[in-house]
Amino acid sequence: MVLETGKKVNTGYLDLTKLGMSGAVLLHFLSIILVNQKSGAVTSAFYYLAILIGVVVYFGRSRSIRFRPIILLAMGAGLLTGLNTAFVGNETVIRSLVLVAAFFVAALMLDDAVDERTFLIALYLNVAVVIAHIVLRGTNAPVYDGSSNNYVSIHLLAPGLLYYSLLDARGKKIPIVPAVVIWVLCFLSGGRGGFLAGTILLAGVLLRNYLGEKKGRRDKVLLGFLLVVILIPVLIIVVWAVFSQETDNYMINRFLDRGLDGGRRIPAWIEYIESMGKSLKSFFLGVDLDTQVLIQKYSGNLHNSFLFVHAYMGIFGFVAMLILILRAVVRAIRSGRGVYLCCILTLCFRGMTDHMFGGNRLSAIAIAILLVTEVIRDKNEDPKDLMVRGVMK
């Protein structure tokens, strides 16, 4: 049997095209999980293979979102990271190629043929890894190879935010359970920024489900109760961290030991920002991270995704990212997509204190979240018409 590129192939009740595309997306998430559990040549090669498969699958079918913006963004990112590689040295040729490919993988993730439940599966795969580590080794043991448990929230939020963003963009029901799971595990992992980011996401999902003109008094009372419940641990941790000097609780100790002001992150950010103004090359192409004294204690981790974007793509990449974020926020507000807006805010909040986006393995996911605006449809539009609308673009 010969399969024509871009054609759907149905075998009984099974759509092989959709299954293959969703499988390629899930493979990308699986490769990230594996390389985080055991870094090395084999898992890294598997990650690069997953990226390549994603790009091939994207170009191997009719696309349901506009192609021109994707190719322009990818070319722009490739040019900027290429300049950085040549004149600054923060980037490498391979990482630049991966970032370019990430735009096409992101477009694949947003394709109508990819079921949003793919991202729910990716979320629960990450959940299973975290729970397994907690059960076997406790909350204080590292979950990932070579990184702190601050990244637990990042790897949970990445698929979770994309899942909720697509549900809202496609006008589908917003479930509460995934947000609750993320929130609980962020708390257990002890990450401060992750726990607060998980709280933002959960609050947004609850507001969507229990607040609105059509909601009755019972729903609104339940909303108030649930918001109080999720805010109680937040307030306890904050108050305890401010007024108490010692405790046996691991999660609260994370606040007590490192403070609520970002610890040593802020001086490192100031050092980087000051370095931006020391030369035109540093301003336009990015600051050489090897010259930054304070971040060397963190193996070159700026703990700020926005500054990482500048470090890898300079001021033009930084401005382009801000434009994408602003565009996504405006479109979310205009289209009444409150959950999507909450996801954007959560992404930005979490990215402020860790490397969540900007030239790392999660780049494709972060790009996809910001490009969800491409698949937002009118609330009165029939879901069956989405593919037709996309092909006509």
Side-chain angles (χ1 to χ4, degrees), residues 76-77 80-81 84 88 90-91 95 99 103 272 276 282-287 289 302-325 347 351 354-360 363 366-367 370:
L80 293 174
T81 53
N84 185 284
V88 181
N90 291 335
E91 274 286 24
R95 285 165 57 109
L99 180 59
F103 284 89
Y272 183 90
M276 288 173 56
S282 295
F283 179 77
F284 283 106
L285 300 181
V287 176
L289 296 179
L302 273 167
H303 287 93
N304 189 305
S305 298
F306 294 90
L307 293 183
F308 263 121
V309 170
H310 181 273
Y312 292 140
M313 290 183 280
I315 192 64
F316 295 109
F318 180 81
V319 171
M321 179 204 61
L322 294 182
I323 291 174
L324 286 177
I325 292 174
L347 176 72
D354 269 308
H355 195 185
M356 188 171 186
F357 54 84
N360 64 357
S363 294
I367 292 168
L370 295 181

Side-chain angles (χ1 to χ4, degrees), residues 56-204:
V56 170
V57 171
Y58 170 74
F59 281 102
R61 72 166 304 254
S62 300
R63 292 169 288 275
S64 61
I65 68 173
R66 291 180 296 172
F67 176 70
R68 184 176 296 178
I70 301 300
I71 191 66
L72 290 177
L73 288 171
M75 291 175 60
L79 174 62
L80 293 174
T81 53
L83 290 172
N84 185 284
T85 301
F87 298 104
V88 181
N90 291 335
E91 274 286 24
T92 64
V93 174
I94 292 179
R95 285 165 57 109
S96 297
L97 291 175
V98 169
L99 180 59
V100 170
F103 284 89
F104 301 110
V105 175
L108 174 65
M109 292 177 177
L110 299 178
D111 197 283
D112 307 320
V114 176
D115 195 317
E116 60 274 353
R117 288 173 294 185
T118 304
F119 307 105
L120 183 61
I121 295 172
L123 168 62
Y124 284 136
L125 286 175
N126 280 280
V127 166
V129 170
V130 175
I131 291 178
H133 277 273
I134 291 177
V135 171
L136 296 175
R137 304 173 63 188
T139 57
N140 202 11
V143 173
Y144 305 119
D145 185 14
S147 60
S148 72
N149 283 352
N150 286 329
Y151 281 81
V152 168
S153 60
I154 290 178
H155 289 288
L156 293 175
L157 285 170
L161 292 177
L162 187 50
Y163 171 65
Y164 278 115
S165 296
L166 281 174
L167 285 179
D168 202 22
R170 294 172 176 175
K172 297 188 176 182
K173 183 178 179 180
I174 306 295
I176 297 175
V177 173
V180 173
V181 172
I182 292 173
W183 182 71
V184 171
L185 290 183
C186 285
F187 175 74
L188 293 178
S189 67
R192 299 156 295 167
F195 177 58
L196 296 177
T199 301
I200 294 173
L201 175 63
L202 180 56

Side-chain angles (χ1 to χ4, degrees), residues 336-372:
R337 268 27 186 220
V339 172
Y340 177 45
L341 175 62
C342 182
C343 289
I344 300 169
L345 298 178
T346 303
L347 176 72
C348 292
F349 177 83
R350 190 66 190 96
M352 279 292 297
T353 58
D354 269 308
H355 195 185
M356 188 171 186
F357 54 84
N360 64 357
R361 295 189 185 99
L362 300 177
S363 294
I365 305 164
I367 292 168
I369 293 172
L370 295 181
L371 294 181
V372 163

